[in-house]
Amino acid sequence: MSTHESATLSPRKRLILESATKVVAAGGMRGLTHRAVDAEAGLSQGSTSGYLRTRLALVSALAEFIAAGLIDSVEELAGEQQAGEPVATVVEHALDLFAGWLREPEALLAKAELAQEAMRQPEVAEALEPARLRIEGIVGQILVRAGVGDVQTSAQAIIAAMEGVLASALAKPTAEREAYVREVGKRIITAFVPTVG
């Protein structure tokens, strides 16, 4: 999911975190154990604990991995902002981005599970924070250029709403998900940026 993370992780640790993503997507946070990750990765028992000794270390590393992937995926959108693309074009590309996340449902499911875990574990919340701030900043930039007032609150509202849309999309048949995210997402954004509609 993340080119940045791929560049900084060893192949073995990347395999462990990709496998942890699959384990959480399939069985929730309760299913995340060192043994389950070893099995998913096809590694000998004890391999994951050799890299991440405690469950908290495993959960925090997974949160950082997912967050880094989210940050990488929004960088192109940030570049368009800086290049001065029209707001309507950037919004369409933002919807492309959200729709694209549906093609990695395991990462989306793992992120949703980690968001729940973050309510109980400050370390997990801290690991997810950079991605939240980066996405909020980019949405905020779109709103500034569109002349929207109260940018921070509006950006937070759009992101919270889109997280809900993505979560509900995963409960729909695969063939319906992308259209649903685009249509509902555009309705949400145009509520804040009427000129886009």
Side-chain angles (χ1 to χ4, degrees):
M1 182 171 187
S2 165
T3 54
H4 172 72
E5 279 291 295
S6 298
T8 57
L9 291 174
S10 69
R12 175 64 62 94
K13 192 166 183 184
R14 183 176 64 183
L15 172 63
I16 286 169
L17 293 173
E18 288 173 346
S19 299
T21 301
K22 292 176 183 176
V23 168
V24 171
M29 293 302 296
R30 286 189 179 190
L32 183 64
T33 64
H34 290 81
R35 185 185 296 268
V37 175
D38 288 339
E40 177 65 40
L43 298 172
S44 59
Q45 189 176 330
S47 297
T48 296
S49 61
Y51 284 85
L52 301 160
R53 297 202 62 78
T54 66
R55 186 174 188 279
L56 180 57
L58 176 57
V59 172
S60 297
L62 177 59
E64 289 171 7
F65 180 68
I66 295 290
L70 291 170
I71 291 169
D72 281 355
S73 70
V74 300
E75 288 307 319
E76 188 175 340
L77 200 61
E80 288 180 5
Q81 276 283 21
Q82 292 161 3
E85 288 282 350
V87 171
T89 300
V90 177
V91 167
E92 283 302 320
H93 291 174
L95 292 170
D96 290 343
L97 173 67
F98 290 129
W101 288 348
L102 291 171
R103 295 177 203 121
E104 296 184 67
E106 289 172 338
L108 266 184
L109 285 166
K111 180 186 176 297
E113 291 285 340
L114 286 163
Q116 294 292 318
E117 190 76 3
M119 296 177 190
R120 295 177 290 272
Q121 295 278 5
E123 297 89 348
V124 177
E126 187 177 328
L128 292 172
E129 183 74 353
R132 186 190 66 75
L133 291 174
R134 186 69 180 120
I135 294 166
E136 186 179 306
I138 290 171
V139 172
Q141 288 168 17
I142 294 172
L143 297 176
V144 167
R145 288 190 49 213
V148 173
D150 195 6
V151 166
Q152 184 177 9
T153 301
S154 296
Q156 290 171 345
I158 289 171
I159 292 164
M162 287 307 302
E163 286 177 347
V165 170
L166 287 164
S168 58
L170 291 174
K172 293 186 172 296
T174 304
E176 298 176 15
R177 291 175 182 174
E178 184 166 339
Y180 171 78
V181 166
R182 289 182 184 280
E183 289 166 13
V184 179
K186 189 157 191 177
R187 179 67 62 89
I188 290 165
I189 292 171
T190 54
F192 291 88
V193 191
T195 56
V196 173

